[in-house]
Amino acid sequence: MREFIVEADGGSRGNPGPAGYGAVVRDAVTGATLLEAAEYLGVTTNNVAEYRGLLAGLHAARTLDPAAAVHVRMDSRLVVEQMSGRWQVKHPAMKPLALEARGVFPPDRVTYEWIPRAENKHADRLANEAMDAGARGERWSAKGPTAEPEAGAPGAGEPPLDAPGRQDPRGAGDQRTTARGWSAAPDLGAPATLVLLRHGETPLTPQKRFSGSGGTNPPLSEIGREQAHRVAEALAKRGTVQAVLASPLTRTRETAEIVAARLNLDVVVEEGLRETDFGAWEGLTFGEVRDRYPDDLNAWLADPAARPTGGGESFAETAVRIAATKDELVSAHAGRTVLLVTHVTPIKTFVRLALGAPPESLFRMELSAASLSAVAYYADGNASVRLFNDTSHLR
């Protein structure tokens, strides 16, 4: 088994204040530096920046070898103690970050060690370079900070789902990236573009009932099948989709099969794309859940780590699953356009992670049946949201 050392740090000039992180991955045997990562985060707290540095280091190590063992060294005693399980993670901004970090590698392959700041100079330097670049309106890169033009310079018009990015991929990153700007970024090559299709209507959809992966697994309604045919025609006209993947649930597989038949492609079932399990709330309306389980509902609305009544899946757990699925798909489909036929929560989570938005943003997105969204992922790990909740093909 290959072994890596990850050294990570984050800082905030003010708490909260302008912040950034740095991370370095080393070969545990030779000590050689294998990868560096750094990013300006905008305004946030020191602790959040440290967690973002940890995430960047873990994801970088996973890119090198997902089967490796990792030893993390940080000068943040808080992060080390929390990730080692000796201290609880209580702050709501840090809970989803800690949960995501635990899901990058199996827990038995990651160890944590606190080190003095003097032994963490490399990661600390990278974090400060990122903050300095951000203060100048620039973005950090491994070759040094590079200037970005002012936002708003490009002309209007919506690019195709798989068009090379006009919006800087660093303008909308996952949990690790939030710097903003515009750039053609020609050195990054063609992105992996994930086109996100919500399945067509089922009998439960018009009634706005919870319908996750733990319920009755309803099929498409007649309206839902018609919606699938319409989106199939729209995608056929674009002519850009090269593969079709679907959640294992009936409604997504039916939608995917209709679309794939029109595109002359096969459907590959991807378990990671399944909907959240809503436990005892499956089949109920929001009002019915509020009447029957008011305390559980309030906790769920306030905390992404809270589970629905009856042992369902929390939004934080869904985010870890989707982040891992995204990493696998982007690696497998670099430079390609792939259609993912999935559900409300997974699609919103793809978008949330790409934007670096907080978990509560899930409640502020509207996602219609048979709608299209799209996110492009670049070779440096950054993302660009291209489309959200497009239903023009249904009109």
Side-chain angles (χ1 to χ4, degrees), residues 266-291:
D266 295 325
V267 176
V268 176
V269 174
E270 171 55 58
E271 180 67 26
L273 297 176
R274 70 184 185 277
E275 178 61 289
T276 299
D277 183 345
F278 293 110
W281 302 351
E282 295 278 357
L284 302 180
T285 65
F286 187 88
E288 289 169 340
V289 173
R290 182 182 55 212
D291 291 340

mmCIF file of all heavy atoms in Angstrom, residues 266-291:
data_model
loop_
_atom_site.group_PDB
_atom_site.id
_atom_site.type_symbol
_atom_site.label_atom_id
_atom_site.label_comp_id
_atom_site.label_asym_id
_atom_site.label_seq_id
_atom_site.Cartn_x
_atom_site.Cartn_y
_atom_site.Cartn_z
ATOM 1 N N ASP A 266 -26.358 3.170 -24.165
ATOM 2 C CA ASP A 266 -26.782 2.262 -23.101
ATOM 3 C C ASP A 266 -26.903 3.026 -21.791
ATOM 4 O O ASP A 266 -26.309 4.096 -21.618
ATOM 5 C CB ASP A 266 -25.774 1.121 -22.936
ATOM 6 C CG ASP A 266 -25.704 0.219 -24.165
ATOM 7 O OD1 ASP A 266 -26.757 0.008 -24.799
ATOM 8 O OD2 ASP A 266 -24.593 -0.251 -24.488
ATOM 9 N N VAL A 267 -27.645 2.457 -20.850
ATOM 10 C CA VAL A 267 -27.779 3.045 -19.515
ATOM 11 C C VAL A 267 -26.903 2.270 -18.544
ATOM 12 O O VAL A 267 -26.986 1.041 -18.463
ATOM 13 C CB VAL A 267 -29.243 3.002 -19.029
ATOM 14 C CG1 VAL A 267 -29.343 3.541 -17.598
ATOM 15 C CG2 VAL A 267 -30.138 3.802 -19.959
ATOM 16 N N VAL A 268 -26.066 3.001 -17.818
ATOM 17 C CA VAL A 268 -25.242 2.404 -16.762
ATOM 18 C C VAL A 268 -25.819 2.840 -15.420
ATOM 19 O O VAL A 268 -26.019 4.030 -15.183
ATOM 20 C CB VAL A 268 -23.775 2.858 -16.872
ATOM 21 C CG1 VAL A 268 -22.956 2.306 -15.707
ATOM 22 C CG2 VAL A 268 -23.192 2.415 -18.210
ATOM 23 N N VAL A 269 -26.119 1.889 -14.552
ATOM 24 C CA VAL A 269 -26.670 2.205 -13.239
ATOM 25 C C VAL A 269 -25.544 2.585 -12.284
ATOM 26 O O VAL A 269 -24.547 1.865 -12.172
ATOM 27 C CB VAL A 269 -27.474 1.018 -12.676
ATOM 28 C CG1 VAL A 269 -27.928 1.303 -11.240
ATOM 29 C CG2 VAL A 269 -28.676 0.733 -13.562
ATOM 30 N N GLU A 270 -25.696 3.738 -11.626
ATOM 31 C CA GLU A 270 -24.708 4.244 -10.674
ATOM 32 C C GLU A 270 -25.373 4.378 -9.313
ATOM 33 O O GLU A 270 -26.225 5.241 -9.094
ATOM 34 C CB GLU A 270 -24.167 5.596 -11.151
ATOM 35 C CG GLU A 270 -23.288 6.319 -10.136
ATOM 36 C CD GLU A 270 -22.125 5.485 -9.649
ATOM 37 O OE1 GLU A 270 -21.316 5.047 -10.486
ATOM 38 O OE2 GLU A 270 -22.062 5.250 -8.423
ATOM 39 N N GLU A 271 -24.984 3.527 -8.384
ATOM 40 C CA GLU A 271 -25.598 3.485 -7.061
ATOM 41 C C GLU A 271 -25.470 4.809 -6.323
ATOM 42 O O GLU A 271 -26.369 5.214 -5.569
ATOM 43 C CB GLU A 271 -24.962 2.361 -6.232
ATOM 44 C CG GLU A 271 -25.509 2.214 -4.824
ATOM 45 C CD GLU A 271 -26.958 1.753 -4.781
ATOM 46 O OE1 GLU A 271 -27.404 1.090 -5.732
ATOM 47 O OE2 GLU A 271 -27.640 2.071 -3.778
ATOM 48 N N GLY A 272 -24.374 5.512 -6.516
ATOM 49 C CA GLY A 272 -24.143 6.762 -5.802
ATOM 50 C C GLY A 272 -25.124 7.865 -6.153
ATOM 51 O O GLY A 272 -25.191 8.870 -5.441
ATOM 52 N N LEU A 273 -25.900 7.704 -7.231
ATOM 53 C CA LEU A 273 -26.843 8.732 -7.662
ATOM 54 C C LEU A 273 -28.237 8.583 -7.062
ATOM 55 O O LEU A 273 -29.133 9.356 -7.388
ATOM 56 C CB LEU A 273 -26.965 8.717 -9.200
ATOM 57 C CG LEU A 273 -25.693 9.045 -9.983
ATOM 58 C CD1 LEU A 273 -25.953 8.897 -11.476
ATOM 59 C CD2 LEU A 273 -25.212 10.460 -9.663
ATOM 60 N N ARG A 274 -28.415 7.612 -6.168
ATOM 61 C CA ARG A 274 -29.749 7.399 -5.596
ATOM 62 C C ARG A 274 -30.177 8.604 -4.751
ATOM 63 O O ARG A 274 -29.341 9.376 -4.274
ATOM 64 C CB ARG A 274 -29.775 6.131 -4.745
ATOM 65 C CG ARG A 274 -28.983 6.242 -3.445
ATOM 66 C CD ARG A 274 -28.961 4.936 -2.678
ATOM 67 N NE ARG A 274 -28.303 5.096 -1.381
ATOM 68 C CZ ARG A 274 -26.998 5.064 -1.185
ATOM 69 N NH1 ARG A 274 -26.189 4.889 -2.208
ATOM 70 N NH2 ARG A 274 -26.495 5.217 0.023
ATOM 71 N N GLU A 275 -31.482 8.718 -4.555
ATOM 72 C CA GLU A 275 -32.027 9.799 -3.741
ATOM 73 C C GLU A 275 -31.756 9.538 -2.257
ATOM 74 O O GLU A 275 -31.496 8.397 -1.841
ATOM 75 C CB GLU A 275 -33.529 9.936 -3.993
ATOM 76 C CG GLU A 275 -34.256 11.007 -3.178
ATOM 77 C CD GLU A 275 -33.734 12.423 -3.427
ATOM 78 O OE1 GLU A 275 -32.595 12.701 -2.977
ATOM 79 O OE2 GLU A 275 -34.466 13.230 -4.025
ATOM 80 N N THR A 276 -31.811 10.595 -1.451
ATOM 81 C CA THR A 276 -31.716 10.473 -0.005
ATOM 82 C C THR A 276 -32.826 9.564 0.520
ATOM 83 O O THR A 276 -33.945 9.575 0.001
ATOM 84 C CB THR A 276 -31.841 11.866 0.643
ATOM 85 O OG1 THR A 276 -30.775 12.690 0.167
ATOM 86 C CG2 THR A 276 -31.792 11.792 2.163
ATOM 87 N N ASP A 277 -32.536 8.789 1.541
ATOM 88 C CA ASP A 277 -33.552 7.983 2.224
ATOM 89 C C ASP A 277 -34.223 8.862 3.269
ATOM 90 O O ASP A 277 -33.574 9.329 4.209
ATOM 91 C CB ASP A 277 -32.881 6.774 2.884
ATOM 92 C CG ASP A 277 -33.877 5.826 3.552
ATOM 93 O OD1 ASP A 277 -35.040 6.231 3.758
ATOM 94 O OD2 ASP A 277 -33.475 4.698 3.885
ATOM 95 N N PHE A 278 -35.521 9.105 3.111
ATOM 96 C CA PHE A 278 -36.245 9.984 4.026
ATOM 97 C C PHE A 278 -36.927 9.243 5.177
ATOM 98 O O PHE A 278 -37.782 9.802 5.861
ATOM 99 C CB PHE A 278 -37.268 10.820 3.253
ATOM 100 C CG PHE A 278 -36.639 11.813 2.316
ATOM 101 C CD1 PHE A 278 -36.721 11.639 0.950
ATOM 102 C CD2 PHE A 278 -35.920 12.895 2.803
ATOM 103 C CE1 PHE A 278 -36.120 12.543 0.075
ATOM 104 C CE2 PHE A 278 -35.316 13.802 1.946
ATOM 105 C CZ PHE A 278 -35.426 13.619 0.575
ATOM 106 N N GLY A 279 -36.544 8.000 5.409
ATOM 107 C CA GLY A 279 -37.016 7.273 6.570
ATOM 108 C C GLY A 279 -38.530 7.199 6.666
ATOM 109 O O GLY A 279 -39.227 6.881 5.689
ATOM 110 N N ALA A 280 -39.059 7.518 7.853
ATOM 111 C CA ALA A 280 -40.505 7.434 8.096
ATOM 112 C C ALA A 280 -41.292 8.502 7.361
ATOM 113 O O ALA A 280 -42.523 8.469 7.342
ATOM 114 C CB ALA A 280 -40.776 7.524 9.597
ATOM 115 N N TRP A 281 -40.600 9.455 6.750
ATOM 116 C CA TRP A 281 -41.297 10.532 6.031
ATOM 117 C C TRP A 281 -41.648 10.149 4.603
ATOM 118 O O TRP A 281 -42.350 10.898 3.924
ATOM 119 C CB TRP A 281 -40.433 11.793 5.997
ATOM 120 C CG TRP A 281 -40.037 12.305 7.348
ATOM 121 C CD1 TRP A 281 -40.486 11.878 8.566
ATOM 122 C CD2 TRP A 281 -39.092 13.346 7.622
ATOM 123 N NE1 TRP A 281 -39.882 12.584 9.588
ATOM 124 C CE2 TRP A 281 -39.025 13.492 9.032
ATOM 125 C CE3 TRP A 281 -38.303 14.159 6.815
ATOM 126 C CZ2 TRP A 281 -38.197 14.438 9.643
ATOM 127 C CZ3 TRP A 281 -37.474 15.100 7.412
ATOM 128 C CH2 TRP A 281 -37.430 15.228 8.820
ATOM 129 N N GLU A 282 -41.164 9.014 4.151
ATOM 130 C CA GLU A 282 -41.429 8.605 2.767
ATOM 131 C C GLU A 282 -42.939 8.557 2.512
ATOM 132 O O GLU A 282 -43.709 7.975 3.280
ATOM 133 C CB GLU A 282 -40.828 7.219 2.495
ATOM 134 C CG GLU A 282 -39.323 7.160 2.572
ATOM 135 C CD GLU A 282 -38.653 7.638 1.284
ATOM 136 O OE1 GLU A 282 -39.371 7.959 0.319
ATOM 137 O OE2 GLU A 282 -37.404 7.678 1.259
ATOM 138 N N GLY A 283 -43.359 9.185 1.420
ATOM 139 C CA GLY A 283 -44.757 9.184 1.028
ATOM 140 C C GLY A 283 -45.610 10.253 1.680
ATOM 141 O O GLY A 283 -46.780 10.416 1.328
ATOM 142 N N LEU A 284 -45.041 11.006 2.635
ATOM 143 C CA LEU A 284 -45.797 12.047 3.341
ATOM 144 C C LEU A 284 -45.538 13.415 2.713
ATOM 145 O O LEU A 284 -44.501 13.651 2.106
ATOM 146 C CB LEU A 284 -45.397 12.091 4.819
ATOM 147 C CG LEU A 284 -45.568 10.807 5.634
ATOM 148 C CD1 LEU A 284 -45.126 11.046 7.074
ATOM 149 C CD2 LEU A 284 -47.024 10.324 5.592
ATOM 150 N N THR A 285 -46.494 14.325 2.884
ATOM 151 C CA THR A 285 -46.269 15.711 2.491
ATOM 152 C C THR A 285 -45.497 16.414 3.603
ATOM 153 O O THR A 285 -45.398 15.907 4.736
ATOM 154 C CB THR A 285 -47.591 16.441 2.266
ATOM 155 O OG1 THR A 285 -48.298 16.522 3.519
ATOM 156 C CG2 THR A 285 -48.457 15.731 1.236
ATOM 157 N N PHE A 286 -44.977 17.594 3.291
ATOM 158 C CA PHE A 286 -44.263 18.373 4.296
ATOM 159 C C PHE A 286 -45.183 18.679 5.471
ATOM 160 O O PHE A 286 -44.780 18.591 6.639
ATOM 161 C CB PHE A 286 -43.753 19.677 3.665
ATOM 162 C CG PHE A 286 -42.868 20.482 4.575
ATOM 163 C CD1 PHE A 286 -41.507 20.270 4.613
ATOM 164 C CD2 PHE A 286 -43.406 21.454 5.413
ATOM 165 C CE1 PHE A 286 -40.683 21.010 5.449
ATOM 166 C CE2 PHE A 286 -42.596 22.202 6.255
ATOM 167 C CZ PHE A 286 -41.228 21.981 6.273
ATOM 168 N N GLY A 287 -46.448 19.030 5.177
ATOM 169 C CA GLY A 287 -47.401 19.332 6.245
ATOM 170 C C GLY A 287 -47.676 18.133 7.129
ATOM 171 O O GLY A 287 -47.804 18.278 8.354
ATOM 172 N N GLU A 288 -47.761 16.960 6.531
ATOM 173 C CA GLU A 288 -47.999 15.753 7.330
ATOM 174 C C GLU A 288 -46.812 15.440 8.223
ATOM 175 O O GLU A 288 -46.980 15.028 9.382
ATOM 176 C CB GLU A 288 -48.297 14.577 6.397
ATOM 177 C CG GLU A 288 -49.662 14.678 5.725
ATOM 178 C CD GLU A 288 -49.851 13.660 4.613
ATOM 179 O OE1 GLU A 288 -48.828 13.129 4.105
ATOM 180 O OE2 GLU A 288 -51.007 13.410 4.246
ATOM 181 N N VAL A 289 -45.607 15.642 7.710
ATOM 182 C CA VAL A 289 -44.414 15.439 8.540
ATOM 183 C C VAL A 289 -44.393 16.443 9.685
ATOM 184 O O VAL A 289 -44.083 16.095 10.836
ATOM 185 C CB VAL A 289 -43.134 15.558 7.687
ATOM 186 C CG1 VAL A 289 -41.887 15.529 8.574
ATOM 187 C CG2 VAL A 289 -43.067 14.444 6.658
ATOM 188 N N ARG A 290 -44.740 17.689 9.389
ATOM 189 C CA ARG A 290 -44.755 18.726 10.433
ATOM 190 C C ARG A 290 -45.751 18.376 11.532
ATOM 191 O O ARG A 290 -45.486 18.585 12.722
ATOM 192 C CB ARG A 290 -45.104 20.068 9.804
ATOM 193 C CG ARG A 290 -45.094 21.246 10.785
ATOM 194 C CD ARG A 290 -45.498 22.518 10.064
ATOM 195 N NE ARG A 290 -46.790 22.341 9.416
ATOM 196 C CZ ARG A 290 -47.158 22.929 8.286
ATOM 197 N NH1 ARG A 290 -46.321 23.733 7.661
ATOM 198 N NH2 ARG A 290 -48.343 22.714 7.779
ATOM 199 N N ASP A 291 -46.880 17.822 11.164
ATOM 200 C CA ASP A 291 -47.901 17.465 12.165
ATOM 201 C C ASP A 291 -47.490 16.251 12.989
ATOM 202 O O ASP A 291 -47.740 16.201 14.198
ATOM 203 C CB ASP A 291 -49.234 17.175 11.475
ATOM 204 C CG ASP A 291 -49.860 18.429 10.865
ATOM 205 O OD1 ASP A 291 -49.471 19.547 11.286
ATOM 206 O OD2 ASP A 291 -50.720 18.284 9.977
#
